[in-house]
Amino acid sequence: MRRIFGKPIVWAALLIAAASVLFATESFGLSDDWIVPFLLTLLGGWFAGHAILDGLNRVEAFRIRIVLHVGAVAAIALTIWAMFLWTKPLTRAGILPESGWGVFFALQMAGLVAVAWLVLALLHTVTALVKVSGAPVERRLPEWEAAESDGAIVRFSAAPMRFGALAGVIVGTIIVASLLGAGLMLAFPAAMNAGPMMVIISFALVIGLPLYAIISAMFRARSRRCSILFGDRRLRLEVGDDVFECGYAQLDELLWRRGSEYARIELSARGEQRSLIVGVAKQPPEVAPNLPELSRRTKRLLEAAGLEDVSSAREVRSGLTRYRRQAVPASVTG
């Protein structure tokens, strides 16, 4: 049950279905009774966009991922446009009942949010191509380097914050954008007749881009130069001037996520927790906001210390690796 409700597509379906029922059973129009289902559709649309992004991030090839991303945006936008064009003719012909107006409206608004979120994510992904010496090149992943003492080290930039806080900022931004959008629609009801493409453009320019710029600036301001060293017996995490070091026997859990804007490191040891979000941090121009894959050597060290790879198949496909302590190590000390 937890796995089912942990999937964004499930929440998208539930929220959009609930909003569709409310819109279909209540009076449809710009009155007080539409605000709750309207917010449900916007949140459902965000979950739908997040689910699509989760699938796209499993595609390793950058160019193919970009093509699929653009195709997803175009397909949803065309579907919204087709629904907008055919709603009135279908209703007049008696094929679509009056309650269908509400269902179609919920689907259209959810689709608009999904498209807006996909467009913003596409903007973030395309920044992986930058101009260096006048020629466009693909930004490289941070690379493992041999440490001066022992082991391997990787250097990167990250924003020190919990993933739950990042998710809260994103959901809060969606709610703020939804309220602003609702306010604009109340202030300018004629916008409802402008068509979905105009609504998309208006939302993106007036609400989406300013909020995206504010949130991006906030994350960039929190960025710190970091490194993590996996030695023969210990790991060492540096965040600016802050240094955290522990033996593998003291490590309770390590989460290593790569391949998306949610690239991050989370670890728990000796009752302390550290969380670094790499995907939203300001990186050097030639470095991608990402992490390299854990080496086989590092995985063997973790397993020898009593940590087990508990990543699900879905997590592995999305680039997430999770090690968790299952038993006290018998022969390893730190």
Side-chain angles (χ1 to χ4, degrees):
M1 186 66 69
R2 183 178 178 181
R3 286 187 176 183
I4 294 176
F5 285 98
K7 296 181 179 180
I9 191 64
V10 174
W11 283 106
L14 291 175
L15 290 169
I16 295 172
S20 299
V21 171
L22 290 176
F23 272 129
T25 55
E26 298 291 337
S27 59
F28 181 69
L30 295 177
S31 57
D32 293 339
D33 59 2
W34 71 285
I35 295 178
V36 171
F38 180 74
L39 292 176
L40 291 178
T41 56
L42 296 180
L43 286 173
W46 176 77
F47 275 109
H50 180 64
I52 295 171
L53 279 178
D54 191 38
L56 291 171
N57 287 329
R58 299 175 188 174
V59 181
E60 294 289 342
F62 181 80
R63 289 184 176 84
I64 296 177
R65 186 166 73 249
I66 290 293
V67 171
L68 292 175
H69 201 143
V70 173
V73 171
I76 298 174
L78 287 173
T79 301
I80 297 171
W81 182 251
M83 292 175 66
F84 178 79
L85 290 178
W86 286 98
T87 299
K88 288 184 178 180
L90 289 175
T91 304
R92 290 171 183 169
I95 300 175
L96 183 69
E98 289 293 332
S99 59
W101 276 84
V103 176
F104 269 41
F105 179 78
L107 293 174
Q108 288 175 17
M109 293 309 302
L112 290 175
V113 175
V115 167
W117 187 249
L118 288 171
V119 169
L120 291 178
L122 182 62
L123 178 64
H124 178 83
T125 302
V126 170
T127 57
L129 292 177
V130 297
K131 289 186 176 181
V132 178
S133 301
V137 297
E138 187 170 345
R139 298 167 75 177
R140 62 174 176 80
L141 286 174
E143 298 176 351
W144 291 104
E145 306 170 14
E148 294 180 0
S149 55
D150 64 84
I153 186 172
V154 62
R155 308 177 196 277
F156 52 91
S157 293
M161 63 186 302
R162 294 182 182 276
F163 182 67
L166 173 62
V169 170
I170 293 174
V171 173
T173 302
I174 296 296
I175 293 175
V176 170
S178 302
L179 294 175
L180 290 175
L184 287 176
M185 294 176 70
L186 285 171
F188 305 99
M192 294 290 293
N193 300 320
M197 298 307 296
M198 288 301 299
V199 174
I200 291 175
I201 294 173
S202 300
F203 267 57
L205 294 179
V206 179
I207 299 176
L209 287 180
L211 287 177
Y212 178 78
I214 293 171
I215 299 302
S216 296
M218 182 184 72
F219 289 138
R220 291 165 70 90
R222 291 177 60 91
S223 300
R224 300 290 184 272
R225 289 301 297 165
C226 308
S227 68
I228 186 167
L229 163 70
F230 289 97
D232 291 336
R233 299 170 68 85
R234 311 175 70 84
L235 70 79
R236 178 185 175 92
L237 180 66
E238 296 187 11
V239 182
D241 297 328
D242 179 51
V243 178
F244 178 81
E245 189 172 358
C246 73
Y248 294 121
Q250 299 169 312
L251 186 64
D252 297 315
E253 185 171 8
L254 173 69
L255 184 148
W256 188 276
R257 173 69 188 266
R258 59 185 181 83
S260 76
E261 63 273 16
Y262 302 125
R264 65 191 187 275
I265 298 173
E266 297 178 13
L267 63 86
S268 175
R270 301 182 309 211
E272 298 186 51
Q273 294 183 335
R274 295 289 189 275
S275 180
L276 300 173
I277 310 296
V278 180
V280 298
K282 180 182 179 181
Q283 307 291 334
E286 72 282 1
V287 180
N290 210 329
L291 287 169
E293 187 174 0
L294 284 173
S295 67
R296 293 182 180 178
R297 170 188 170 276
T298 299
K299 293 179 179 180
R300 287 196 298 268
L301 289 171
L302 295 172
E303 291 168 357
L307 291 126
E308 182 180 342
D309 187 348
V310 295
S311 314
S312 67
R314 177 176 174 271
E315 288 175 334
V316 171
R317 288 194 299 269
S318 65
L320 187 149
T321 303
R322 188 192 307 271
Y323 278 89
R324 183 177 298 151
R325 181 167 303 286
Q326 302 297 317
V328 178
S331 59
V332 180
T333 60

